[in-house]
C-alpha cells in the first residue's frame, strides 16, 4: 500500500497527488466560501472577522492605556455632573435653561420646539452627552489603526442611533403630541404602511407610489433610438431638438451601480433633454443589469464593451469629430482609465472630459473605506462568488447604513410612527430601481481601486501596460457635491494632483444624486467654480473652497458654457445611426436593458 505522503525535500512532506490533494483543496475552498456566504445573509455582508479584529485592536490598546481610561472616567464623571446641573437648572428655571450641549449642525433630530420642553430637553441632552462620551472612548486610543478606530466609532454610533430618544413614542415629544391629537390613528396607519411595504419587499414589488414613474412613460422619455447593442450595453442616440448642433457629440457614461435615467428623469429635470435643447448631439450608455451568467465580466470588459464600443459607434455616426466624454460616479472612474489608456496609445478621439461626482484617488473615499480591507473584501467576494453578483438589497443596505439617520430612522419615524407617506418623486423612484454588480468586476474594482489605489499610485494596467492620468491632455470639468457620502468632494478634487491638464472644478450644493440633478429654475441651488491651467500652482481643497466664487442657481448652464467654449461652430445634426457602418436604429429609447429587474 503506497504511503499517503511522499518526500519532496530534506525537511518537508506534502500530500501525494495520488490522494487527490487538489480535490481536497477545491473542496475546502468551496466549503469556506459557502459558509461565509451563508453567514453574510445574516450580517448584511459585513465580515464578523473584520469587526472582531477592529474591536480587539481597540480593546487591547485601551486596556494597555490606563491614562486613556482615566481620561474616559474623568469625562464620564464630568458629564454626569453636567446632567445633574442641567436637572437643577430645569427645576428652577424651567424651559428657559440653556442647553448644556447642542446637536451637530447635520443632526436635525432634536431641533423642534417640543424638544426644548422639560423633560425632553433633559432626555435628548443626556443622550447627546452619552454619544460624546462614546466618541471619546472609541477615538484617540494610541496604537489603534486608523481604519479600526474609524470602524469602532462608526459601529458604536450606529448602535447609539438605534436607541436615540427620537425613535421611541414615549421619549419623542413631537411623535407623542401627534399621537394624542390623532387618537393613535397615526400608529394604525403606520402599521398599515409597514405591512404594505413588507408585502412589497417579500413579493419583489417596487415602492408605493413608484408606479407613477414608469420608465419610458414618465421618466426616460427624451426621444431617441438605440443604435448599438452588445451583451453589456445599449447605446442610445437622442434626437436633436435644434436646427443646428455642436459638431462634437456628447457621450455620457453613467455608473452601472445605477440605471442611466437619473440623467434623464422627468422632462423638467432631465440633463439629457437640457443638453439637446442647448444644441448638443447626445449619446448615452445604458448598462445591462447583470445576472449570474455575467459573473466573470471584469473591469476590462466594462471598458472594452462599454466605453470603447460606444466610442466606436459614436465615431461612426459623427465621423472625424472628437467627443465630449462625460462620466458619472463609477462611470467617471472608468472613463478616466479609458482616457488615460487612449492618451498613452495616441488615440485622440476625446475632446474634453467631464467627471460628475467621480473619484480617481481613493485614499479619502469617505466612510465606505472603513470596511475596505482584505478581511472584509474576502468575505464579500465569497458572498458574491456563491450568487455570481452583488445583490441589489445588499448594495442598497450599505449606502443606507452610511446615512442611517436620514435614510433609515427618519423613514421609520415618518412612515411607520407618524403614519405619513412622503410623496414619491422621480428621483426617489429611480433610487429604488436597483441594479446588481458582477462578481469579478466588483471584486477588481474594490481591490485594485479602493483597497490598493492602483490608479492613483501608478500600478493600474490596461492591456498589459501601466496607465497614468497625467498622460491626459484633454481639458477636464470635474463636479463635486458638498454632501456626497459616496464620492466626497475632497476626494474628487484630487484630480488636480493626478493630471497635467486644464481642470475646472465645480462644487455644488446637494448630495451624490440630488446635487447632480440640479435643473435650472429650482430655488436653493448654489455652487462654486474655479479653473486651473496646467501651469498653475496647486491649491489645496480648503483654500479653494475659501476663495472660489459663489454663484446661485443650477450649475448646468455653467457647464454648458464650458462645453460650448470647447466646441466648434454649430452644424447640421447628424443622422440617427450609421447604417453603412452597421449601426442601425434598433428600437426606441429607453431600450430594453434599463427595463431589466
Amino acid at each position: 500500500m503506497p504511503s499517503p505522503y511522499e518526500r519532496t525535500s530534506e525537511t518537508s512532506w506534502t500530500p501525494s497527488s495520488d490522494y487527490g490533494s487538489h480535490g481536497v483543496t477545491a473542496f475546502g475552498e468551496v466549503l469556506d466560501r459557502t459558509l461565509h456566504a451563508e453567514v453574510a445573509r445574516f450580517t448584511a455582508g459585513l465580515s464578523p472577522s473584520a469587526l472582531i479584529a477592529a474591536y480587539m485592536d481597540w480593546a487591547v490598546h485601551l486596556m494597555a492605556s490606563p491614562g486613556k481610561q482615566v481620561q474616559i472616567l474623568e469625562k464620564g464623571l464630568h458629564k454626569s455632573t453636567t446632567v445633574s446641573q442641567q436637572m437643577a437648572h430645569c427645576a428652577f428655571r424651567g424651559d428657559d435653561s440653556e442647553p448644556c450641549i447642542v446637536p451637530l449642525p447635520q443632526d436635525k433630530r432634536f431641533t423642534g420646539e417640543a424638544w426644548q420642553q422639560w423633560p425632553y430637553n433633559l432626555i435628548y441632552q443626556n443622550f447627546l452627552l452619552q454619544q460624546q462620551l462614546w466618541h471619546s472612548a472609541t477615538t484617540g486610543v494610541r496604537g489603534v489603526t486608523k481604519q479600526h478606530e474609524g470602524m469602532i466609532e462608526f459601529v458604536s454610533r450606529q448602535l447609539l442611533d438605534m436607541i436615540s430618544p427620537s425613535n421611541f413614542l414615549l421619549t419623542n415629544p413631537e411623535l407623542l403630541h401627534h399621537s394624542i391629537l390623532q387618537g393613535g390613528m397615526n400608529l394604525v396607519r403606520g402599521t398599515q404602511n409597514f405591512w404594505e411595504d413588507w408585502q412589497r419587499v417579500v413579493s419583489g414589488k417596487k415602492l408605493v407610489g413608484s408606479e407613477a414613474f414608469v420608465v419610458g412613460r414618465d421618466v426616460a422619455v427624451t426621444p431617441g433610438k438605440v443604435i448599438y447593442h452588445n451583451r453589456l450595453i445599449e447605446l442610445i442616440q437622442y434626437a436633436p431638438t435644434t436646427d443646428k448642433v455642436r459638431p462634437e457629440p456628447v457621450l455620457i457614461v453613467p455608473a452601472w451601480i445605477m440605471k442611466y435615467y437619473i440623467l434623464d428623469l422627468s422632462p423638467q429635470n432631465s440633463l439629457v433633454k437640457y443638453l439637446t435643447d442647448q444644441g448638443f448631439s447626445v449619446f448615452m450608455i445604458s448598462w445591462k443589469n447583470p445576472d449570474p451568467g455575467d459573473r466573470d465580466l471584469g473591469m476590462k470588459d466594462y471598458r472594452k464593451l462599454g466605453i470603447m464600443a460606444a466610442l466606436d459607434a459614436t465615431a461612426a455616426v459623427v465621423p472625424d469629430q472628437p467627443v465630449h466624454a462625460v462620466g458619472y460616479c463609477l462611470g467617471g472612474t472608468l472613463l478616466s482609465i479609458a482616457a488615460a489608456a487612449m492618451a498613452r496609445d495616441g488615440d485622440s478621439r476625446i475632446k474634453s472630459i467631464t467627471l460628475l461626482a467621480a473619484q480617481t484617488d481613493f485614499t479619502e473615499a469617505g466612510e465606505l473605506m472603513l470596511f475596505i480591507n482584505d478581511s472584509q473584501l474576502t468575505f464579500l467576494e465569497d458572498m458574491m462568488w456563491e450568487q455570481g453578483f452583488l445583490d441589489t438589497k445588499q448594495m442598497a443596505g450599505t449606502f443606507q447604513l452610511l446615512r442611517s439617520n436620514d435614510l433609515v430612522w427618519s423613514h421609520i419615524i415618518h412612515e411607520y410612527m407618524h403614519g405619513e407617506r412622503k410623496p414619491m418623486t422621480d428621483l426617489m423612484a429611480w433610487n429604488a430601481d436597483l441594479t446588481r454588480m458582477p462578481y469579478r468586476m466588483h471584486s477588481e474594482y474594490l481591490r485594485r481601486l479602493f483597497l490598493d489605489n492602483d490608479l492613483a499610485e501608478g500600478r493600474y494596467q490596461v492591456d498589459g501596460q501601466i496607465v497614468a492620468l497625467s498622460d491626459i491632455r484633454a481639458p477636464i470639468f470635474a463636479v463635486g457635491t458638498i454632501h456626497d457620502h459616496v464620492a466626497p468632494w475632497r476626494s474628487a478634487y484630487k484630480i488636480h494632483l493626478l493630471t497635467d491638464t486644464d481642470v475646472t472644478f465645480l462644487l455644488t450644493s446637494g448630495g451624490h444624486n440630488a446635487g447632480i440633478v440640479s435643473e435650472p429654475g429650482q430655488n436653493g441651488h448654489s455652487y462654486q467654480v474655479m479653473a486651473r491651467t496646467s501651469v498653475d500652482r496647486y491649491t489645496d481643497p480648503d483654500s479653494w473652497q475659501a476663495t472660489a466664487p459663489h454663484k446661485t442657481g443650477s450649475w448646468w448652464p455653467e457647464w454648458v458654457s464650458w462645453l460650448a467654449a470647447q466646441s466648434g461652430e454649430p452644424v447640421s445634426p447628424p443622422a440617427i445611426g450609421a447604417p453603412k457602418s452597421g449601426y442601425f436604429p434598433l428600437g426606441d429609447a429607453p431600450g430594453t436593458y434599463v427595463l431589466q429587474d
Side-chain angles (χ1 to χ4, degrees), residues 461-532:
Q461 292 189 0
V462 171
D463 296 332
Q465 292 182 295
I466 298 293
V467 297
L469 298 180
S470 57
D471 288 339
I472 296 173
R473 292 295 176 265
I476 296 173
F477 191 99
V479 178
T481 63
I482 193 71
H483 298 301
D484 199 326
H485 64 287
V486 178
W489 76 266
R490 286 179 173 81
S491 183
Y493 186 86
K494 290 191 174 186
I495 192 68
H496 289 89
L497 292 170
L498 300 174
T499 57
D500 293 325
T501 187
D502 296 349
V503 176
T504 299
F505 190 81
L506 185 146
L507 179 62
T508 182
S509 56
H512 188 71
N513 298 322
I516 299 301
V517 182
S518 177
E519 69 278 14
Q522 291 292 320
N523 295 326
H525 294 311
S526 63
Y527 63 92
Q528 295 175 262
V529 62
M530 193 159 62
R532 183 213 73 176

Side-chain angles (χ1 to χ4, degrees), residues 180-201:
I180 292 173
L181 287 180
Q182 298 207 10
M185 290 306 298
N186 58 305
L187 300 177
V188 174
R189 292 194 307 273
T191 302
Q192 292 172 338
N193 290 343
F194 175 80
W195 179 245
E196 183 178 20
D197 288 347
W198 176 257
Q199 287 181 314
R200 284 176 175 257
V201 169

Side-chain angles (χ1 to χ4, degrees), residues 361-470:
D361 183 302
F362 291 82
T363 52
E364 294 184 66
E367 288 188 321
L368 276 175
M369 292 300 295
L370 298 179
F371 302 96
I372 302 296
N373 55 38
D374 280 310
S375 176
Q376 176 59 50
L377 292 190
T378 299
F379 191 74
L380 186 63
E381 285 168 347
D382 290 347
M383 180 179 68
M384 294 188 296
W385 170 84
E386 185 191 51
Q387 57 196 22
F389 52 79
L390 183 64
D391 187 69
T392 57
K393 297 182 179 63
Q394 294 159 341
M395 189 160 48
T398 300
F399 290 118
Q400 288 179 337
L401 197 62
L402 295 177
R403 295 178 56 204
S404 59
N405 278 334
D406 295 331
L407 300 180
V408 178
W409 302 117
S410 64
H411 172 80
I412 290 174
I413 294 169
H414 191 83
E415 301 265 337
Y416 305 148
M417 301 178 81
H418 280 282
E420 299 172 355
R421 290 284 194 192
K422 287 185 177 179
M424 180 64 67
T425 65
D426 51 7
L427 187 58
M428 292 169 61
W430 165 86
N431 195 50
D433 195 1
L434 303 173
T435 58
R436 295 176 288 272
M437 301 278 268
Y439 160 66
R440 181 178 177 183
M441 185 285 306
H442 199 45
S443 176
E444 290 177 350
Y445 169 62
L446 291 177
R447 284 196 176 274
R448 298 176 67 185
L449 296 176
F450 266 93
L451 181 62
D452 297 333
N453 204 28
D454 283 350
L455 179 61
E457 296 180 12
R459 293 185 298 271
Y460 196 95
Q461 292 189 0
V462 171
D463 296 332
Q465 292 182 295
I466 298 293
V467 297
L469 298 180
S470 57

